[in-house]
Amino acid sequence: MSSLELLPTTCKAGVVVEYGANFKLEVQDVPVPEPGPGQLLIRLNATGVCYSDIHYMLEDLTLPRMSEHGVRSPGHEGAGVVVKIGEQVKNWKIGDRAGIKPTWDTCMSCELCWGRLECHCPEAIPTGLKVPGTYQQYIVSPARYTSRIPDGVDDFSAGPIMCSGSTMYRSLVDSELRPGDWATFLGAGGGVGHMGVQLAKAMGLRVLGIDTGKAKRELCMQLGCDAFIDFVDTDIVKETMRISGGRGVDGVFVTATSKSAYAVAPKLLSVGGRVMCVGMPATGTAFAGDDPMFLILRNIKVIGTLTGTMKDTNDALAFAARGLLKPAYEVFGIDRLPEAVELLRAGQVSGRCVIDFNA
Ligand SMILES: NC(=O)c1ccc[n+]([C@@H]2O[C@H](COP(=O)([O-])OP(=O)(O)OC[C@H]3O[C@@H](n4cnc5c(N)ncnc54)[C@H](O)[C@@H]3O)[C@@H](O)[C@H]2O)c1
Ligand SMILES: [Zn+2]
Ligand SMILES: [Zn+2]
């Protein structure tokens, strides 16, 4: 085991003191963990605040629960530096830049792990759900599944790319849309959606952003959307048809949490179009496109995306290193983490809130 600096014994962390509908998050001092064999200890400089963290604290998804696993810190968009190296670790050194993803580790030896589906591995461990997440400044991570952050991508950008950026990269690849096709993002001004907008433009797609409010409209247009619709005061089916010349769009990426977004998504599509499911709706949401006759008559495909793999994350970071993906973020000091979470829960964040652990 080796470490460069004298490490503290405690660090700051966002800690859940009450789970569920009235969840409560506090910033507390917690012990700095020790890296076991094969693990790195990473000191995070930044973590993004993703809506999935809110789902985990609300415990409103059909997923394992944080409380069942005794996990008190969510978070899965971390960026920092290696400060200590466990036994048996090769190819990493102290001072290397390192990122933490929504999947903390996988078995790496099953068919899913071999075939770009490792996030679905039965042994996959979700970060911030079954193990402590990136709301904690010092975090251990399996060296084999830790992402490297390339030069030219700062930690405030790299953090959100670990989840939001890599998920949208993967979803766009799986959509098989081609340059010139229309891609629509329901939730285009949010943390995940605004990454999709940029990646879609970089891939040569035409982009229709759908969200609400002046700030999100401005962000979408600044990021290169060809058109924007405010879903609150517009008939979005009619308007989408008008913008796409009456045929509908080729792909709809649902990056919102709301039931209404899933309800409308298939209706925006052209014949042969596809709904890309990314936003995680609370347990019990019905998917309006599940009328088989609607899907049959319009040759609609429905595809789900569960975060990006190790390779997807690497590829998304490469877009950022080339200047094609620049997360729009507002920085909050660690003491203001609960405030950032509340703003996101209230739908008041354009782009991402990123936490600065050094502020
Ligand atoms: N599948 C995955 O791997 C994955 C990865 C990351 C996040 N997520 C999920 O994606 C969702 C979004 O996360 P986020 O962090 O970007 O949240 P966010 O709040 O930053 O973004 C959601 C956006 O959707 C907009 N919106 C709400 N209702 C809408 C509607 N009916 N039509 C259009 N826009 C609407 C909101 O105004 C907001 O801008 C969450 O459910 C999260 O859990 C899934
Ligand atoms: Zn996330
Ligand atoms: Zn596996």
Side-chain angles (χ1 to χ4, degrees):
M1 187 122 52
S2 58
S3 74
L4 186 65
E5 52 195 89
L6 193 57
L7 297 172
T9 52
T10 61
C11 66
K12 291 229 170 143
V15 170
V16 180
V17 291
E18 193 176 330
Y19 301 95
N22 300 315
F23 76 78
K24 196 156 174 263
L25 184 74
E26 285 178 1
V27 177
Q28 296 182 359
D29 288 323
V30 302
V32 169
E34 271 296 305
Q39 293 181 339
L40 306 171
L41 177 65
I42 296 166
R43 185 186 66 228
L44 297 176
N45 292 315
T47 180
V49 178
C50 174
Y51 201 97
S52 299
D53 304 337
I54 294 179
H55 285 308
Y56 291 0
M57 292 186 273
L58 288 169
E59 305 201 311
D60 67 345
L61 298 178
T62 317
L63 281 180
R65 290 162 179 255
M66 285 179 78
S67 55
E68 281 167 30
H69 294 276
V71 171
R72 297 172 70 208
S73 292
H76 53 266
E77 293 191 339
V81 66
V82 174
V83 291
K84 196 168 184 178
I85 294 182
E87 285 163 20
Q88 298 158 26
V89 172
K90 292 178 188 148
N91 306 325
W92 282 90
K93 57 183 192 319
I94 286 162
D96 282 350
R97 299 181 66 203
I100 305 275
K101 299 179 287 302
T103 302
W104 188 76
D105 197 12
T106 78
C107 86
M108 288 201 167
S109 56
C110 76
E111 213 176 353
L112 295 169
C113 285
W114 296 331
R116 72 187 279 276
L117 287 167
E118 81 241 17
C119 300
H120 304 267
C121 166
E123 305 292 323
I125 301 172
T127 315
L129 193 62
K130 289 194 178 175
V131 289
T134 59
Y135 283 13
Q136 179 174 311
Q137 184 176 18
Y138 283 77
I139 180 168
V140 290
S141 176
R144 64 182 188 176
Y145 206 67
T146 304
S147 292
R148 289 183 188 275
I149 301 172
D151 290 345
V153 185
D154 64 81
D155 285 341
F156 295 128
S157 302
I161 292 173
M162 291 298 138
C163 171
S164 317
S166 69
T167 302
M168 283 321 303
Y169 172 80
R170 175 55 178 262
S171 186
L172 279 154
V173 169
D174 279 357
S175 76
E176 296 183 346
L177 293 182
R178 296 187 303 177
D181 282 352
W182 273 105
T184 293
F185 294 87
L186 283 160
V192 176
H194 91 289
M195 302 263 202
V197 168
Q198 295 178 63
L199 288 165
K201 286 308 292 181
M203 293 173 182
L205 301 171
R206 283 184 284 178
V207 178
L208 165 60
I210 304 182
D211 210 308
T212 190
K214 187 164 172 276
K216 289 174 185 174
R217 174 190 290 271
E218 281 175 7
L219 175 64
C220 287
M221 296 315 286
Q222 193 190 317
L223 296 176
C225 278
D226 297 272
F228 179 89
I229 304 174
D230 192 315
F231 72 87
V232 169
D233 52 19
T234 318
D235 178 339
I236 67 174
V237 177
K238 206 167 145 197
E239 191 58 7
T240 299
M241 290 302 156
R242 188 190 66 75
I243 290 166
S244 60
R247 62 189 283 282
V249 294
D250 304 280
V252 174
F253 295 78
V254 184
T255 58
T257 306
S258 56
K259 295 182 181 190
S260 58
Y262 273 101
V264 80
K267 299 179 189 156
L268 308 179
L269 288 171
S270 62
V271 170
R274 60 226 66 175
V275 180
M276 301 303 300
C277 306
V278 177
M280 297 191 176
T283 303
T285 299
F287 176 49
D290 66 0
D291 173 358
M293 277 311 284
F294 184 83
L295 304 181
I296 291 165
L297 293 173
R298 298 187 64 75
N299 186 228
I300 302 292
K301 297 157 196 75
V302 180
I303 303 173
T305 302
L306 176 63
T307 74
T309 60
M310 188 91 173
K311 169 91 169 86
D312 296 325
T313 308
N314 204 54
D315 292 351
L317 284 166
F319 271 79
R322 299 202 303 279
L324 296 167
L325 174 61
K326 291 183 187 157
Y329 55 77
E330 185 179 348
V331 178
F332 287 68
I334 174 67
D335 290 330
R336 292 178 64 208
L337 171 61
E339 188 188 328
V341 166
E342 277 317 308
L343 285 173
L344 181 61
R345 191 176 179 187
Q348 287 172 15
V349 179
S350 299
R352 260 281 174 268
C353 290
V354 181
I355 302 306
D356 181 354
F357 281 104
N358 303 312

